[in-house]
Amino acid sequence: MITVFAHTITSRLQYIFKLYFEELLQVPVGFTDNIDLFEQFDGIKLNYSKLDIKSADLVLRPHDLLFQSGIQYQNLTAIPCGDQLCFLESSSDSFLPFDPFAAGFFLVSRYEEYLEKQLDKHYRYQSRHSVLSRNNALQEPVVNQWAQMLAWKIKEVSPGFQPTPPYFDFLTTIDIDNAWAFKNKSLKRIAGATVKNMLKGDSSSINNRYRVLSGKAEDPYDSYDYIQKAYKGMEDYLQFFFLLGNPGMYDRNIPPSNKKLQKLIQKLSAKFNVGIHPSYGSDKNEKLLRREIDLLHEIIGKPVLDSRQHYLKLELPESYIRLTRAGIKNDFTMGYADNIGFRAGIASPFFFYDLKMEEKTPLLVFPFQTMDVVLRDKLNLNPEEALEEIRNIMLKIKKSGGTFISLWHNESLGNQGEWDGWRQVFEETTKLAVSFQNESR
């Protein structure tokens, strides 16, 4: 057990120390602000204060962040730390030149997102503003790396220290924004889409629609049989998120009342975990959010516990507060719509910390690292280049531990048109994830 001395035991301090030790390293940690009790302890003792305590095994002079309340601008200048990104300086007599607890809290609480006002047109935080991006470390799971650094340092002073070794896990997620490109749509939508294609001179779409509706070709978005076959025997490692809002400008899905859509959802939920993909408008409308969750509940006959925001719209802490009140336990939105990498600097699930209420919440956040649309459209990568980027991120997670989570769409796995060749990326990513997981066991 690790015992930590601090002059004040705050909720921020307890949250981040437990994340590092109990959740990442799986080592129990205790806290005290009583020097006499601290000195009596015969285990590993970490002095996280500006006081001198001779009996401490390790000393780390803290940054003020964990003892502050509210949100204020921080000095994020990088600290010389070998090849590792480090920020929030400590002191020369500390066992590390920076404070990994304060820095880790800054990242996983998404502190910087509360301060940023320059959002994109969908009011989303952009990767270029993050401290990780500005220091070319967006593709580094720095919090997991810092956890391993802490473990090494503790082991130097206490060789018997035995944290859990890094473990690689993975989860493949698929967002269903639009279940079918042409099939199972009303005559009104078919006619409307055809007229738009004619006005644009898009004869290719008109021809494709005719071929699908006449049974001469497969719907390019209907990749469900392929996906199920690819994950046969690995059903626990695949999860779907369904958009069930009413059709609108940014919600191009089939209406949730469509019986074919309901049948598809029921078929997939019998084998895989299924979550809600809250519609574009529901991010600021809790009544609408609850209605969509209730719809999915009625369709699958199971509690709906998992969610990922449509368009990755995420306003902190309001979005997470609404999801929690609506009964959601696990959120999968923590990733970027414009880049790949580690938005919260971590490759492991973590409980969301509400900075406005200054408390750890029951919402478990599962951060994802790669998304098909970002790889192809934002980074302009071909399938081979995309696979190499995915491999590099997976290798980082394998080394420091965590869960590789990828985001796909049913249309990208149709292997047609602009998505031709991306099934191979999906298959090779899965194959590599399975091999890394087996090596970790």
Side-chain angles (χ1 to χ4, degrees):
M1 182 174 178
I2 307 287
T3 294
V4 177
F5 173 84
H7 69 277
T8 303
I9 310 300
T10 67
S11 58
R12 291 184 178 189
L13 184 147
Q14 293 182 77
Y15 167 82
I16 194 62
F17 272 84
K18 287 183 177 181
L19 174 61
Y20 272 116
F21 289 112
E22 297 187 349
E23 297 175 37
L24 299 184
L25 299 176
Q26 295 186 23
V27 174
V29 62
F31 308 92
T32 183
D33 56 2
N34 186 305
I35 294 179
D36 292 335
L37 289 177
F38 182 70
E39 291 184 328
Q40 292 172 20
F41 185 74
D42 58 2
I44 301 169
K45 293 184 284 190
L46 195 165
N47 176 11
Y48 188 71
S49 77
K50 296 178 181 179
L51 301 176
D52 292 324
I53 306 175
K54 292 182 179 180
S55 64
D57 299 294
L58 294 162
V59 175
L60 186 69
R61 305 305 183 190
H63 186 275
D64 290 338
L65 182 62
L66 299 187
F67 304 102
Q68 297 172 354
S69 60
I71 303 161
Q72 51 194 280
Y73 286 95
Q74 305 291 333
N75 181 357
L76 302 178
T77 303
I79 308 300
C81 197
D83 296 331
Q84 177 74 58
L85 170 65
C86 302
F87 62 96
L88 299 187
E89 189 172 7
S90 182
S91 65
S92 59
D93 63 336
S94 295
F95 74 96
L96 288 172
F98 78 114
D99 184 343
F101 302 104
F105 180 82
F106 181 88
L107 290 173
V108 298
S109 69
R110 303 312 302 129
Y111 197 102
E112 60 190 351
E113 296 195 29
Y114 289 77
L115 296 167
E116 184 57 55
K117 305 303 180 185
Q118 297 181 38
L119 308 175
D120 72 3
K121 68 177 184 178
H122 299 292
Y123 302 98
R124 298 175 300 195
Y125 181 78
Q126 298 173 279
S127 63
R128 62 188 174 89
H129 297 306
S130 74
V131 63
L132 296 180
S133 178
R134 296 199 305 271
N135 286 279
N136 299 312
L138 190 58
Q139 295 185 31
E140 300 287 342
V142 292
V143 174
N144 299 82
Q145 292 170 352
W146 293 337
Q148 295 304 313
M149 182 188 298
L150 286 167
W152 299 332
K153 290 292 185 179
I154 294 172
K155 203 168 181 63
E156 287 178 2
V157 300
S158 181
F161 180 65
Q162 293 293 338
T164 299
Y167 178 77
F168 179 94
D169 206 352
F170 76 97
L171 179 67
T172 301
T173 63
I174 300 178
D175 288 355
I176 312 297
D177 298 338
N178 197 347
W180 295 283
F182 305 120
K183 292 196 308 184
N184 303 317
K185 297 190 176 181
S186 68
L187 289 176
K188 181 179 179 180
R189 285 190 70 173
I190 292 172
T194 302
V195 170
K196 286 183 179 179
N197 294 151
M198 292 175 65
L199 292 174
K200 292 180 179 179
D202 185 1
S203 59
S204 176
S205 292
I206 295 173
N207 183 55
N208 288 338
R209 182 177 293 105
Y210 169 75
R211 285 173 55 78
V212 169
L213 295 179
S214 64
K216 296 179 180 180
E218 293 183 1
D219 191 294
Y221 290 6
D222 191 351
S223 55
Y224 308 109
D225 287 343
Y226 162 75
I227 295 168
Q228 291 181 82
K229 184 178 179 181
Y231 271 74
K232 186 176 182 179
M234 299 190 299
E235 287 80 4
D236 290 344
Y237 297 96
L238 183 69
Q239 180 150 354
F240 291 90
F241 294 92
F242 278 92
L243 180 64
L244 294 180
N246 292 321
M249 181 180 295
Y250 296 110
D251 299 318
R252 306 300 299 165
N253 55 306
I254 291 173
S257 58
N258 185 291
K259 298 301 181 184
K260 293 290 181 68
L261 176 61
Q262 293 182 9
K263 186 176 180 180
L264 172 66
I265 296 172
Q266 289 166 352
K267 180 180 177 181
L268 293 176
S269 69
K271 296 181 180 179
F272 306 98
N273 288 331
V274 169
I276 192 68
H277 198 35
S279 65
Y280 191 91
S282 72
D283 185 46
K284 296 194 180 293
N285 188 329
E286 190 169 334
K287 183 178 180 180
L288 187 59
L289 171 65
R290 288 176 180 272
R291 187 172 73 186
E292 293 171 15
I293 292 173
D294 288 343
L295 275 172
L296 183 58
H297 185 190
E298 291 174 10
I299 293 170
I300 65 177
K302 307 174 190 175
V304 178
L305 304 177
D306 302 338
S307 176
R308 174 184 284 134
Q309 298 287 94
H310 188 34
Y311 272 77
L312 303 181
K313 291 188 67 176
L314 189 60
E315 181 183 3
L316 299 178
E318 288 79 11
S319 298
Y320 278 165
I321 291 173
R322 281 190 289 270
L323 287 170
T324 302
R325 283 199 298 244
I328 296 299
K329 302 296 183 184
N330 309 302
D331 180 77
F332 294 77
T333 311
M334 189 57 69
Y336 284 118
D338 66 346
N339 214 333
I340 60 175
F342 302 89
R343 179 169 174 173
I346 187 171
S348 303
F350 61 95
F351 287 98
F352 176 64
Y353 188 94
D354 186 339
L355 282 171
K356 290 189 176 179
M357 295 300 294
E358 289 294 354
E359 64 181 12
K360 176 181 177 180
T361 75
L363 184 70
L364 189 60
V365 176
F366 288 76
F368 73 89
Q369 297 88 37
T370 66
M371 178 165 63
D372 49 9
V373 177
V374 168
L375 290 163
R376 193 197 69 178
D377 297 344
K378 299 296 183 180
L379 303 182
N380 298 312
L381 303 178
N382 62 39
E384 293 76 19
E385 294 167 335
L387 183 58
E388 187 60 27
E389 291 293 333
I390 291 171
R391 184 192 305 274
N392 290 336
I393 285 180
M394 293 172 75
L395 285 169
K396 301 284 179 61
I397 297 176
K398 180 186 177 185
K399 185 176 181 180
S400 60
T403 302
F404 171 72
I405 300 180
S406 56
L407 194 168
W408 303 83
H409 294 80
N410 52 307
E411 56 261 42
S412 69
L413 299 177
N415 218 39
Q416 297 185 37
E418 56 193 4
W419 288 110
D420 183 36
W422 285 82
R423 274 191 181 181
Q424 184 177 358
V425 180
F426 180 76
E427 292 167 5
E428 291 298 320
T429 297
T430 301
K431 187 184 301 182
L432 190 60
V434 171
S435 69
F436 282 177
Q437 186 187 62
N438 289 335
E439 291 171 14
S440 294
R441 287 172 174 163

